[in-house]
Amino acid sequence: MPALLKALKRATGEVPAPADEDAFLDAEEAVLHCDAHPDGGFGFTNRQLLASQRNAVMEVIKEAGKSLLTGHLDLISLSLPVKMFESRSYLEKLTDVWVFPCFLDRAAAASSPLYRLQLVATWFIAGQQNAFASWMKPFNPILGETFQAATASGTRVYLEQISHHPPIAAYQMMGPGRAWVLTGVSRPEVRYKGNAVKTLVRGARTITFADGTRMELNFPSYLLKGILYSDQPHGEMDGTFSILDVTHNLRCQIEFGKVVGERNWLLQRPDSFSGQIVQLNAPAVGACQTLHRGSSFTHLASKFASLAAPSSKAADAREPAEEVLSRCVGNWLAFCDWDGSRFWTLVSEPPECWLPDSQPLPSDARYRSDLQQLKQGNLQAAQAAKELLEAQQRTDARWRRRTTTG
């Protein structure tokens, strides 16, 4: 019997309550996302869409064979057929994983820097179930294109495309009363090689809280595997997600992949993760005093300060090891635990929905002619509108270069 059904029947008395709390936690851990792939990650279950996407990919491969053979096919700059696209801009798609602002609201109210950092990390983990919810490619934003939306709880988000080449989007998301503000830029790099697509989302991201606490975030990579030669493609997260609390000198680092030494079957899947929060070594006195505590330059400046100082036993001593304050394990399609405490499960926290602004700017992505035609099902008209917009962007780019160099 599925764990969620057991929990519901337990509430009505049809199933006896577990003997202890751990048994209930085990049941919750068994609730894996319904679209989880047997081999790990988020599975692509729409067969009709899969066939359509693969036909479109084969067309692209025929046109870009040389780039494909070298492994440097950039899907961002390549002009693709409109039938591969969903009727949204990349600006809209960026917000898909930001649907759990409740964790940031709780983080803003937290008095403990450690607890706040745990909540911010949980906010990121919980949203990743939506990273692969849409397998179709979004439209590349036009320079100056915008998107603005809000949730029912009062969180607002604003995005704008600020660079054409390379494509860069800037965004700002804020909680009610500006208790927290997320700002950043997204510079995606999408590469196709063999049977997989890898997306790197480069760019600086910062969360600032009302009390002045500032955190810097670095995102992992996203992989689409088996897009051509498997029965069911699937999406995975790869690499490391990290948060640096520069105000309190704390670092959170989470690695994606099977958790070594864990017997729980959910932690042996590729969509598992594990991580820790450490207290960074205090910056050295003197040359480092003027640097922001916890900045990326602190450690390097400490080294220069020690080299400049007179030789002594204290100077030659090794730096103390970073203190581990907290550890986490989980599965981004099921749950997240910090030090044995459950912070999030798939069934406990419903995601919020973004409600596009009813009176947006004239530059809003939803006004694009190609998107509007695609929403109406007019593929030929959408393709023509897309090619016209791309031609206009190239013309505008040439004029900007002439103005700059002239």
Side-chain angles (χ1 to χ4, degrees):
M1 183 185 297
L4 179 56
L5 182 58
K6 280 186 179 180
L8 294 174
K9 290 193 172 185
R10 186 178 298 122
T12 62
E14 297 181 46
V15 174
D20 53 43
E21 184 180 358
D22 290 338
F24 184 70
L25 288 180
D26 289 342
E28 282 191 326
E29 288 179 1
V31 180
L32 192 62
H33 198 288
C34 60
D35 287 322
H37 192 278
D39 297 332
F42 196 100
F44 188 8
T45 58
N46 189 327
R47 297 285 181 177
Q48 183 176 0
L49 178 59
L50 174 60
S52 174
Q53 290 286 291
R54 283 180 168 171
N55 288 337
V57 169
M58 293 306 297
E59 292 179 10
V60 173
I61 288 175
K62 291 178 181 178
E63 296 180 5
K66 183 179 294 186
S67 297
L68 177 65
L69 291 174
T70 61
H72 296 291
L73 181 57
D74 187 347
L75 296 184
I76 290 292
S77 59
L78 188 66
S79 180
L80 302 173
V82 75
K83 61 183 178 181
M84 293 185 66
F85 289 73
E86 61 175 317
S87 55
R88 294 195 304 166
S89 165
Y90 175 74
L91 297 183
E92 298 176 74
K93 186 176 179 65
L94 266 176
T95 66
D96 285 354
V97 296
W98 299 337
V99 289
F100 287 93
C102 57
F103 289 108
L104 297 181
D105 294 339
R106 295 171 199 169
S111 57
S112 163
L114 177 61
Y115 183 48
R116 175 177 285 176
L117 190 52
Q118 291 170 331
L119 287 167
V120 173
T122 303
W123 160 76
F124 176 82
I125 292 295
Q128 298 313 302
Q129 59 178 297
N130 290 334
F132 305 99
S134 174
W135 285 76
M136 301 186 77
K137 186 183 183 303
F139 280 80
N140 296 335
I142 300 168
L143 182 63
E145 183 177 305
T146 59
F147 179 68
Q148 54 199 93
T151 67
S153 65
T155 300
R156 301 196 61 82
V157 67
Y158 305 88
L159 305 98
E160 180 179 353
Q161 190 72 6
I162 60 172
S163 174
H164 169 59
H165 186 73
I168 301 176
Y171 52 82
Q172 183 179 69
M173 182 170 66
M174 61 190 70
R178 296 182 68 91
W180 56 267
V181 178
L182 168 68
T183 57
V185 295
S186 176
R187 179 181 173 180
E189 295 181 10
V190 184
R191 301 288 177 176
Y192 172 81
K193 188 174 183 180
N195 198 28
V197 169
K198 183 174 184 177
T199 301
L200 303 172
V201 187
R202 305 186 187 279
R205 307 161 192 89
T206 302
I207 295 181
T208 305
F209 293 91
D211 64 0
T213 298
R214 185 167 63 90
M215 299 182 183
E216 299 173 356
L217 291 73
N218 286 301
F219 287 6
S221 302
Y222 297 84
L223 300 176
L224 297 180
K225 294 184 175 181
I227 59 175
L228 291 178
Y229 312 119
S230 68
D231 292 335
Q232 185 185 22
H234 63 282
E236 294 183 6
M237 299 180 67
D238 182 56
T240 303
F241 167 65
S242 64
I243 311 172
L244 179 66
D245 183 340
V246 298
T247 304
H248 300 98
N249 221 31
L250 299 174
R251 183 183 68 225
C252 172
Q253 188 161 305
I254 295 176
E255 304 287 341
F256 292 92
K258 296 180 181 181
V259 182
V260 178
E262 291 284 349
R263 292 183 296 176
N264 186 323
W265 67 278
L266 280 175
L267 299 178
Q268 288 301 303
R269 289 173 53 91
D271 37 41
S272 305
F273 63 85
S274 61
Q276 61 185 19
I277 295 175
V278 300
Q279 179 73 61
L280 299 178
N281 297 330
V285 178
C288 300
Q289 280 185 323
T290 58
L291 293 175
H292 197 295
R293 195 163 181 253
S295 73
S296 57
F297 299 102
T298 299
H299 186 70
L300 182 60
S302 300
K303 293 297 185 182
F304 281 121
S306 64
L307 289 174
S311 177
S312 67
K313 290 183 179 181
D316 294 335
R318 292 178 177 270
E319 292 183 359
E322 296 173 344
E323 180 185 0
V324 177
L325 304 180
S326 180
R327 299 182 188 275
C328 71
V329 294
N331 183 299
W332 54 273
L333 293 175
F335 72 99
C336 175
D337 285 354
W338 282 98
D339 301 322
S341 296
R342 186 61 42 81
F343 272 57
W344 168 77
T345 66
L346 187 69
V347 298
S348 65
E349 292 281 356
E352 296 196 55
C353 297
W354 288 108
L355 307 173
D357 199 304
S358 59
Q359 295 182 322
L361 296 171
S363 53
D364 193 87
R366 289 167 291 160
Y367 291 142
R368 289 178 53 158
S369 57
D370 48 2
L371 291 185
Q372 292 178 342
Q373 293 293 341
L374 187 58
K375 285 182 179 179
Q376 297 172 14
N378 302 324
L379 291 182
Q380 290 185 344
Q383 183 69 42
K386 175 177 175 291
E387 293 174 357
L388 178 60
L389 287 173
E390 290 174 344
Q392 290 176 344
Q393 287 188 91
R394 289 191 291 269
T395 300
D396 291 344
R398 286 194 295 270
W399 277 108
R400 286 194 297 272
R401 285 195 296 270
R402 290 177 184 176
T403 302
T404 303
T405 58

